[in-house]
Amino acid sequence: MYTICPCLREGYYMNVRHLLQIPQWHLVTVTFCLTVFGFLFSAPLLAAEKIADEWRYTLRRPAGEWWQAAFDDAAWKESFGGFGMRDTPGARVGTIWSTQNIWLRKRFTLETVPANPALLLHHDEDVEVYINGRRVLALKGYSTKYEVVPIDAEGRKQLRQGKNLMAVHCRQTGGGQFIDVHLIDAHNIPELPPAKRITKPFQSELITRWGAEVTDENAWTEYPRPQLARDDWQNLNGDWDYAITPREQKEVPSDWAGKILVPYCLESKLGGVGRLLDATEALWYRRTFRTSPANGRKTMLNFEAVDYRCDVFVNGTSVGSHQGGHTPFSFDVSAVIRDGDNDVVVRVEDATEGWQLRGKQVLNARGIWYTQVSGIWQTVWLEHVAASYIEDLTITTDAERGTITVKPDIVGSKSRGNVLVVVKDGDQAVGEARGQGELTIAIRDARLWSPTSPHLYNLEVTLLDADGAVVDQVRSYAGIRSVGKKRDRDGHLRFTLNGEEIFHWGPLDQGWWPDGLLTPPSDEAMAFDIQWLKKAGFNMIRKHIKVEPRRYYYHCDRLGMMVWQDQVSAGNNPPWTRLKLNPEDANWPDTEHDQFMLELERMIDTLESHPSIVVWVPFNEAWGQHRTVKVGKWTVERDPRRLVNVASGGNFWPVGDVVDHHSYPHPEFPFDQDRYGAFIKVMGEFGGHGYPVKDHLWDADRRNWGYGGLPQNKAEYKQRYVTSLQKLKELRAQGIAAGIYTQTTDVEGEVNGLMTYDRKVIKIPAEELAKLHETLGGTAKSQ
């Protein structure tokens, strides 16, 4: 059927399918010449023919004859082709398209009508193409490469010298998706230029009420470290200069692109830039600040979180580097700081994917994967400390004995000095200890911390010199509680708090925001979520593959909200076999595993003194799950005072304390008493019932979804929720010790939150939820 010309040359390929009933799968890949039914299609070396890549498009079915030249498309959006998802094979994406349908129109000019007109197209999936009002092509299915399809004689008649119109409709049902179409001369096939690079993330119109009030003067003004507090600090949030350069550039830019509002990331609405950072680029920050004389004190420059790698310079001198995007770090800048004006520059690289720990961030946001976050995304601040100072406190408690133990880390020449710890109940001192190393204070008639009575004791920790003079002093707090497990009368393992059985009931909480992305718009906004969940009758939160600002855990501590804390996840996954026998681990190189463990240690070290945190979760499902037994044993040994759920919903290995299953939309558990008898059984995720609220969607044009499909109305949505609760209650009677409902809020295309993404619409009132949740019971007794 095909005759291939012998003058083939390596390096250029095209796919040709004859329009006359040749099946889509009968494609022949050739290089420079092809004869089809005796007609010679000659392709000289890539003619420099202009490609029209500018389109108007809509994602909603247009009214009227949208394919006609007279149709008014002024209200359609404008962008560059092709359209689709970047992980579609063979795609050159200029504009993200993730809905089921797209309608496209573009105008192009022909100096002369080609003698052998054809369409150069790549479609995934069904496509129909119109030229000047007449349909010239309709194809079912999908392609994986660009193809050349000749236009028949009737189609050629539609072409004219001068202005022409092409209109295209593409429909997608699953998998990859992409559409790009160009009119070409089949004798002179042009090389398609690279797609216009996507530099802008999707910018939703959604904004929270707190985000609407953010300014450069009020952006995150609260002290960021509640469990190690000092008065002498300086907030560096606000407007910074920014620039984006090639990654190879190491010198500080001479030209700056504009202002970015720290601590909001480059991609966010609140940051004021709205730009995607490519792996081939570096993001630079700069600001000046004034400091008072140090008077013999040290100056610490503190970053609560920067995603992902950064180098920091003060007054032109490098002060340090950091890798890891989710936990705090500090640099001693005493040697380079000066009285008066100072200059700080931060250089950031962020590849987002690969082996990097990133949580839900991806380069190609879709479905359960969200917009990437680059650069500074939590508070930056300065602090003056003494030459010898308290660098950290590790606080542990024992409910049975009523004790608080404080282990201070001291830096400096007086690191062997005495430490005085005073415990206060309100303003009243109730105990103290003085000495070196670990100090334990027994509290008479101690009031224990629990969700029903989240009592906190205030701590004053003072470093003294040999003469008893104060060298350094910090404020902290502690909640006395003990976490454990025990068997009920039916032999099922249950969670305990302060020796009492407690059913853990809470939402999957991802901590994303439409205006700040990973950064809450304000401390008040962040606390609102916790307060609302508490009011709705939840007693715990599963903080899902995100480490929040430290003040988040402070709010959980004071409000009485238990936390399951996930480690931030990565890619490079094993086969996901859930709770089946013979699980597999992903094969991670030593270097990448070591970085994973370093970031896990940093997370635990940062958060281990918070009474609200009761469970560590190193892996979610099978995302980056590797060396599971080793990671699980390490975590158990690292913090024996908490329980370990080694892989929530992931591949089950017999390590840690918990066996965790995910099931959508309704909860169910594959009970196997022989295998799981030594583990607490939990429903780590279920629900995800979707309910879209008009005018409160991240993107009304995209495929907004929930598990089990979307309900017909609000009543059906509520009934689905009630059904899940009933099933969870039945599972609890069979031994399930916790339930995690997906989720607190809508997030981007997911509309399965209990409230909308902008937190403006509550789908089921908190009071109504609290009454529904009473059937689950199981709160810990206040002691």
Side-chain angles (χ1 to χ4, degrees):
M1 183 178 292
Y2 294 90
T3 304
I4 301 177
C5 181
C7 53
L8 299 179
R9 177 177 173 184
E10 293 184 2
Y12 179 70
Y13 291 85
M14 68 177 183
N15 290 315
V16 176
R17 181 171 72 244
H18 198 277
L19 193 61
L20 301 177
Q21 307 300 316
I22 297 176
Q24 178 171 340
W25 55 87
H26 287 179
L27 300 177
V28 175
T29 302
V30 302
T31 53
F32 267 70
C33 297
L34 174 67
T35 302
V36 181
F37 292 110
F39 295 95
L40 179 66
F41 285 70
S42 177
L45 186 61
L46 305 183
E49 182 174 326
K50 178 175 173 55
I51 290 293
D53 234 1
E54 300 88 0
W55 295 81
R56 287 183 179 270
Y57 73 99
T58 182
L59 303 175
R60 299 185 179 184
R61 182 179 297 277
E65 297 181 332
W66 60 272
W67 58 87
Q68 296 289 353
F71 179 82
D72 183 5
D73 60 12
W76 290 22
K77 298 177 182 179
E78 295 181 79
S79 197
F80 295 93
F83 294 78
M85 304 303 286
R86 285 183 282 193
D87 54 359
T88 303
R92 55 179 288 275
V93 177
T95 302
I96 297 295
W97 163 50
S98 60
T99 61
Q100 189 172 21
N101 289 276
I102 188 169
W103 290 263
L104 301 151
R105 289 165 58 92
K106 74 174 174 181
R107 290 168 174 81
F108 59 96
T109 301
L110 295 177
E111 294 182 6
T112 61
V113 175
N116 296 279
L119 297 176
L120 178 61
L121 83 161
H122 181 350
H123 64 100
D124 188 348
E125 302 170 15
D126 305 344
V127 62
E128 53 183 345
V129 181
Y130 297 80
I131 293 180
N132 295 327
R134 183 185 184 278
R135 192 168 76 173
V136 298
L137 180 68
L139 295 173
K140 295 288 187 180
Y142 63 91
S143 59
T144 58
K145 298 179 181 179
Y146 280 85
E147 303 169 8
V148 175
V149 181
I151 295 178
D152 63 15
E154 289 300 314
R156 294 174 197 169
K157 294 178 182 178
Q158 301 303 310
L159 295 169
R160 51 180 172 261
Q161 186 175 1
K163 294 182 179 180
N164 294 263
L165 173 80
M166 180 183 292
V168 179
H169 171 226
C170 188
R171 174 178 176 272
Q172 191 268 352
T173 61
Q177 62 187 100
F178 181 69
I179 182 64
D180 194 21
V181 187
H182 302 278
L183 181 80
I184 64 167
D185 187 335
H187 281 191
N188 192 15
I189 301 171
E191 180 179 19
L192 292 179
K196 293 283 185 179
R197 190 170 140 223
I198 300 172
T199 59
K200 292 287 185 181
F202 177 78
Q203 288 287 349
S204 176
E205 295 181 0
L206 290 188
I207 189 168
T208 64
R209 60 183 173 89
W210 305 278
E213 299 173 353
V214 168
T215 70
D216 62 332
E217 294 182 350
N218 67 13
W220 277 92
T221 57
E222 295 81 8
Y223 187 82
R225 194 182 58 202
Q227 282 199 306
L228 190 74
R230 294 185 178 90
D231 293 327
D232 194 357
W233 73 290
Q234 181 178 349
N235 196 332
L236 297 184
N237 292 339
D239 283 334
W240 291 49
D241 299 321
Y242 86 95
I244 296 172
T245 69
R247 187 179 59 189
E248 293 75 22
Q249 180 172 326
K250 304 300 181 183
E251 64 273 12
V252 177
S254 56
D255 296 321
W256 296 87
K259 298 291 185 181
I260 184 170
L261 182 57
V262 170
Y264 307 103
C265 71
L266 179 70
E267 295 83 357
S268 70
K269 179 192 292 285
L270 294 180
V273 178
R275 168 70 149 77
L276 297 172
L277 187 69
D278 191 76
T280 63
E281 297 176 320
L283 168 63
W284 297 77
Y285 295 82
R286 181 188 67 178
R287 71 156 291 168
T288 58
F289 59 91
R290 294 184 63 84
T291 59
S292 56
N295 296 325
R297 297 171 299 169
K298 291 184 177 182
T299 302
M300 307 300 296
L301 176 58
N302 304 311
F303 294 84
E304 290 300 293
V306 180
D307 197 345
Y308 178 73
R309 298 178 184 86
C310 69
D311 302 291
V312 181
F313 307 84
V314 174
N315 296 327
T317 299
S318 172
V319 295
S321 301
H322 182 80
Q323 177 171 307
H326 312 282
T327 50
F329 58 96
S330 301
F331 300 116
D332 183 347
V333 298
S334 308
V336 296
I337 208 78
R338 56 193 178 220
D339 294 346
D341 290 338
N342 292 267
D343 182 89
V344 58
V345 171
V346 181
R347 180 185 182 276
V348 175
E349 295 180 8
D350 183 16
T352 298
E353 297 188 359
W355 298 98
Q356 188 170 306
L357 273 61
R358 61 184 184 272
K360 286 291 192 79
Q361 302 177 52
V362 291
L363 298 174
N364 187 18
R366 72 231 182 258
I368 65 169
W369 307 105
Y370 314 141
T371 306
Q372 67 192 76
V373 169
S374 300
I376 298 170
W377 68 278
Q378 291 187 35
T379 292
V380 184
W381 55 295
L382 282 172
E383 182 178 39
H384 290 308
V385 298
S388 295
Y389 66 98
I390 302 167
E391 182 181 44
D392 193 17
L393 298 175
T394 301
I395 301 167
T396 57
T397 63
D398 187 308
E400 186 175 358
R401 296 191 300 143
T403 59
I404 299 172
T405 299
V406 179
K407 181 182 178 183
D409 292 339
I410 310 299
V411 173
S413 59
K414 294 180 172 40
S415 60
R416 297 186 61 82
N418 281 333
V419 171
L420 171 65
V421 178
V422 177
V423 181
K424 294 184 177 181
D425 192 350
D427 294 328
Q428 180 68 40
V430 294
E432 68 175 57
R434 183 192 301 251
Q436 297 179 353
E438 197 171 82
L439 300 173
T440 298
I441 305 98
I443 309 301
R444 185 176 181 181
D445 299 323
R447 300 173 63 185
L448 303 186
W449 185 96
S450 72
T452 56
S453 180
H455 188 76
L456 299 176
Y457 287 94
N458 296 320
L459 306 179
E460 288 182 0
V461 184
T462 307
L463 175 63
L464 306 170
D465 66 14
D467 298 323
V470 174
V471 176
D472 187 28
Q473 186 175 75
V474 297
R475 298 183 305 278
S476 189
Y477 65 86
I480 300 177
R481 62 99 180 99
S482 294
V483 174
K485 58 187 177 182
K486 71 178 181 181
R487 295 194 182 274
D488 64 14
R489 60 187 177 185
D490 296 319
H492 302 299
L493 278 172
R494 304 288 185 175
F495 291 103
T496 63
L497 184 67
N498 305 329
E500 298 286 339
E501 181 184 319
I502 180 169
F503 185 79
H504 287 201
W505 169 231
L508 190 77
D509 192 287
Q510 306 203 65
W512 283 76
W513 300 80
D515 39 21
L517 299 181
L518 278 183
T519 310
S522 69
D523 184 70
E524 180 185 349
M526 186 172 67
F528 167 82
D529 281 4
I530 307 167
Q531 291 165 333
W532 187 87
L533 291 169
K534 181 81 172 178
K535 187 177 180 181
F538 295 103
N539 65 9
M540 60 82 65
I541 289 169
R542 181 179 166 207
K543 180 48 62 178
H544 190 42
I545 54 178
K546 177 194 177 184
V547 180
E548 291 281 5
R550 286 186 270 199
R551 290 188 61 84
Y552 181 90
Y553 305 96
Y554 160 68
H555 291 308
C556 289
D557 293 341
R558 69 178 181 84
L559 292 170
M561 185 65 80
M562 295 185 296
V563 177
W564 291 15
Q565 179 61 50
D566 288 10
Q567 163 73 321
V568 180
S569 61
N572 300 287
N573 312 330
W576 186 21
T577 56
R578 301 176 184 254
L579 305 188
K580 293 181 181 178
L581 291 168
N582 304 314
E584 295 182 36
D585 269 337
N587 184 19
W588 275 45
D590 288 345
T591 299
E592 283 68 27
H593 169 72
D594 290 346
Q595 181 65 29
F596 176 92
M597 295 305 297
L598 175 61
E599 295 190 41
L600 178 58
E601 162 58 32
R602 287 172 177 165
M603 180 185 75
I604 294 175
D605 183 65
T606 299
L607 302 179
E608 64 184 327
S609 295
H610 288 280
S612 56
I613 298 177
V614 295
V615 175
W616 298 118
V617 185
F619 297 110
N620 174 67
E621 295 181 345
W623 302 352
Q625 188 177 353
H626 70 284
R627 309 189 193 186
T628 307
V629 172
K630 181 177 180 180
V631 172
K633 288 181 176 179
W634 179 91
T635 310
V636 169
E637 293 172 2
R638 173 61 179 80
D639 189 358
R641 296 176 179 271
R642 289 182 173 88
L643 300 176
V644 174
N645 180 357
V646 73
S648 179
N651 297 343
F652 176 69
W653 295 79
V655 64
D657 304 285
V658 176
V659 55
D660 183 320
H661 185 59
H662 294 178
S663 174
Y664 288 102
H666 295 303
E668 59 182 28
F669 193 93
F671 291 100
D672 183 334
Q673 296 301 327
D674 292 335
R675 294 184 63 213
Y676 309 141
F679 297 89
I680 306 170
K681 297 179 287 292
V682 306
M683 285 303 314
E685 291 182 26
F686 73 94
H689 302 300
Y691 184 68
V693 180
K694 186 179 178 182
D695 299 326
H696 296 274
L697 300 174
W698 171 254
D699 178 4
D701 289 331
R702 74 164 55 186
R703 186 183 302 109
N704 293 287
W705 65 279
Y707 290 99
L710 297 179
Q712 295 298 311
N713 50 52
K714 193 170 185 178
E716 182 184 346
Y717 166 69
K718 288 184 179 180
Q719 186 55 50
R720 291 185 184 186
Y721 187 84
V722 170
T723 299
S724 282
L725 285 183
Q726 181 59 40
K727 290 181 179 293
L728 180 63
K729 183 180 179 181
E730 295 168 1
L731 290 171
R732 182 182 178 187
Q734 299 175 63
I736 293 299
I740 312 298
Y741 179 82
T742 301
Q743 60 183 321
T744 303
T745 73
D746 296 348
V747 184
E748 299 201 358
E750 297 181 46
V751 292
N752 49 18
L754 294 169
M755 63 179 92
T756 56
Y757 199 12
D758 57 10
R759 278 75 167 172
K760 291 181 179 178
V761 177
I762 305 300
K763 298 180 186 180
I764 304 177
E767 297 82 1
E768 185 175 345
L769 286 172
K771 190 165 185 63
L772 290 172
H773 298 164
E774 286 176 359
T775 61
L776 294 173
T779 57
K781 293 180 180 179
S782 175
Q783 297 182 20

